[in-house]
mmCIF file of all heavy atoms in Angstrom:
data_model
loop_
_atom_site.group_PDB
_atom_site.id
_atom_site.type_symbol
_atom_site.label_atom_id
_atom_site.label_comp_id
_atom_site.label_asym_id
_atom_site.label_seq_id
_atom_site.Cartn_x
_atom_site.Cartn_y
_atom_site.Cartn_z
ATOM 1 N N TYR A 89 13.012 27.127 33.050
ATOM 2 C CA TYR A 89 12.949 27.698 31.713
ATOM 3 C C TYR A 89 12.262 29.054 31.694
ATOM 4 O O TYR A 89 12.321 29.768 30.709
ATOM 5 C CB TYR A 89 12.221 26.739 30.762
ATOM 6 C CG TYR A 89 12.996 25.477 30.516
ATOM 7 C CD1 TYR A 89 12.836 24.377 31.347
ATOM 8 C CD2 TYR A 89 13.897 25.373 29.470
ATOM 9 C CE1 TYR A 89 13.554 23.216 31.139
ATOM 10 C CE2 TYR A 89 14.621 24.211 29.258
ATOM 11 C CZ TYR A 89 14.447 23.139 30.095
ATOM 12 O OH TYR A 89 15.155 21.991 29.893
ATOM 13 N N ILE A 90 11.590 29.393 32.772
ATOM 14 C CA ILE A 90 10.900 30.681 32.795
ATOM 15 C C ILE A 90 11.410 31.543 33.954
ATOM 16 O O ILE A 90 10.709 32.382 34.480
ATOM 17 C CB ILE A 90 9.377 30.497 32.860
ATOM 18 C CG1 ILE A 90 8.963 29.579 33.996
ATOM 19 C CG2 ILE A 90 8.850 29.967 31.541
ATOM 20 C CD1 ILE A 90 7.450 29.413 34.119
ATOM 21 N N SER A 91 12.661 31.301 34.327
ATOM 22 C CA SER A 91 13.390 32.158 35.265
ATOM 23 C C SER A 91 12.701 32.297 36.615
ATOM 24 O O SER A 91 12.654 33.383 37.185
ATOM 25 C CB SER A 91 13.610 33.540 34.641
ATOM 26 O OG SER A 91 14.331 33.417 33.437
ATOM 27 N N GLN A 92 12.149 31.227 37.119
ATOM 28 C CA GLN A 92 11.603 31.247 38.468
ATOM 29 C C GLN A 92 12.443 30.323 39.340
ATOM 30 O O GLN A 92 12.775 29.223 38.940
ATOM 31 C CB GLN A 92 10.144 30.814 38.471
ATOM 32 C CG GLN A 92 9.259 31.763 37.687
ATOM 33 C CD GLN A 92 7.813 31.636 38.108
ATOM 34 O OE1 GLN A 92 7.517 31.355 39.256
ATOM 35 N NE2 GLN A 92 6.914 31.863 37.179
ATOM 36 N N THR A 93 12.792 30.800 40.510
ATOM 37 C CA THR A 93 13.631 30.029 41.406
ATOM 38 C C THR A 93 12.848 28.852 41.975
ATOM 39 O O THR A 93 11.733 29.003 42.454
ATOM 40 C CB THR A 93 14.126 30.909 42.563
ATOM 41 O OG1 THR A 93 14.855 32.007 42.023
ATOM 42 C CG2 THR A 93 15.019 30.116 43.496
ATOM 43 N N ALA A 94 13.445 27.678 41.907
ATOM 44 C CA ALA A 94 12.803 26.489 42.444
ATOM 45 C C ALA A 94 13.882 25.496 42.847
ATOM 46 O O ALA A 94 14.994 25.529 42.340
ATOM 47 C CB ALA A 94 11.875 25.871 41.416
ATOM 48 N N THR A 95 13.543 24.618 43.766
ATOM 49 C CA THR A 95 14.489 23.643 44.278
ATOM 50 C C THR A 95 13.882 22.251 44.182
ATOM 51 O O THR A 95 12.735 22.056 44.562
ATOM 52 C CB THR A 95 14.805 23.944 45.757
ATOM 53 O OG1 THR A 95 15.251 25.288 45.875
ATOM 54 C CG2 THR A 95 15.877 23.001 46.279
ATOM 55 N N PRO A 96 14.642 21.270 43.669
ATOM 56 C CA PRO A 96 14.133 19.897 43.665
ATOM 57 C C PRO A 96 13.779 19.465 45.082
ATOM 58 O O PRO A 96 14.425 19.874 46.050
ATOM 59 C CB PRO A 96 15.312 19.083 43.116
ATOM 60 C CG PRO A 96 16.136 20.069 42.357
ATOM 61 C CD PRO A 96 15.992 21.365 43.098
ATOM 62 N N ALA A 97 12.749 18.621 45.197
ATOM 63 C CA ALA A 97 12.279 18.263 46.518
ATOM 64 C C ALA A 97 11.546 16.927 46.498
ATOM 65 O O ALA A 97 11.106 16.459 45.447
ATOM 66 C CB ALA A 97 11.345 19.340 47.071
ATOM 67 N N VAL A 98 11.426 16.345 47.687
ATOM 68 C CA VAL A 98 10.531 15.216 47.925
ATOM 69 C C VAL A 98 9.413 15.742 48.818
ATOM 70 O O VAL A 98 9.675 16.343 49.864
ATOM 71 C CB VAL A 98 11.252 14.038 48.602
ATOM 72 C CG1 VAL A 98 10.252 12.955 48.988
ATOM 73 C CG2 VAL A 98 12.334 13.478 47.690
ATOM 74 N N TYR A 99 8.180 15.543 48.373
ATOM 75 C CA TYR A 99 7.017 16.005 49.124
ATOM 76 C C TYR A 99 6.348 14.832 49.832
ATOM 77 O O TYR A 99 6.104 13.786 49.225
ATOM 78 C CB TYR A 99 6.002 16.671 48.190
ATOM 79 C CG TYR A 99 6.520 17.927 47.560
ATOM 80 C CD1 TYR A 99 7.077 17.907 46.283
ATOM 81 C CD2 TYR A 99 6.486 19.132 48.243
ATOM 82 C CE1 TYR A 99 7.571 19.059 45.710
ATOM 83 C CE2 TYR A 99 6.985 20.294 47.676
ATOM 84 C CZ TYR A 99 7.529 20.245 46.404
ATOM 85 O OH TYR A 99 8.031 21.384 45.838
ATOM 86 N N GLU A 100 6.053 15.017 51.106
ATOM 87 C CA GLU A 100 5.273 14.052 51.877
ATOM 88 C C GLU A 100 3.814 14.472 51.756
ATOM 89 O O GLU A 100 3.433 15.560 52.203
ATOM 90 C CB GLU A 100 5.718 14.055 53.337
ATOM 91 C CG GLU A 100 4.976 13.055 54.200
ATOM 92 C CD GLU A 100 5.341 13.200 55.667
ATOM 93 O OE1 GLU A 100 5.436 14.343 56.150
ATOM 94 O OE2 GLU A 100 5.513 12.176 56.330
ATOM 95 N N ILE A 101 2.992 13.624 51.129
ATOM 96 C CA ILE A 101 1.631 14.001 50.754
ATOM 97 C C ILE A 101 0.623 13.028 51.356
ATOM 98 O O ILE A 101 0.800 11.804 51.281
ATOM 99 C CB ILE A 101 1.476 14.027 49.222
ATOM 100 C CG1 ILE A 101 2.327 15.166 48.632
ATOM 101 C CG2 ILE A 101 0.022 14.173 48.801
ATOM 102 C CD1 ILE A 101 2.319 15.225 47.121
#
Side-chain angles (χ1 to χ4, degrees):
Y89 293 89
I90 52 178
S91 301
Q92 297 201 32
T93 301
T95 305
V98 173
Y99 295 96
E100 181 186 43
I101 293 176

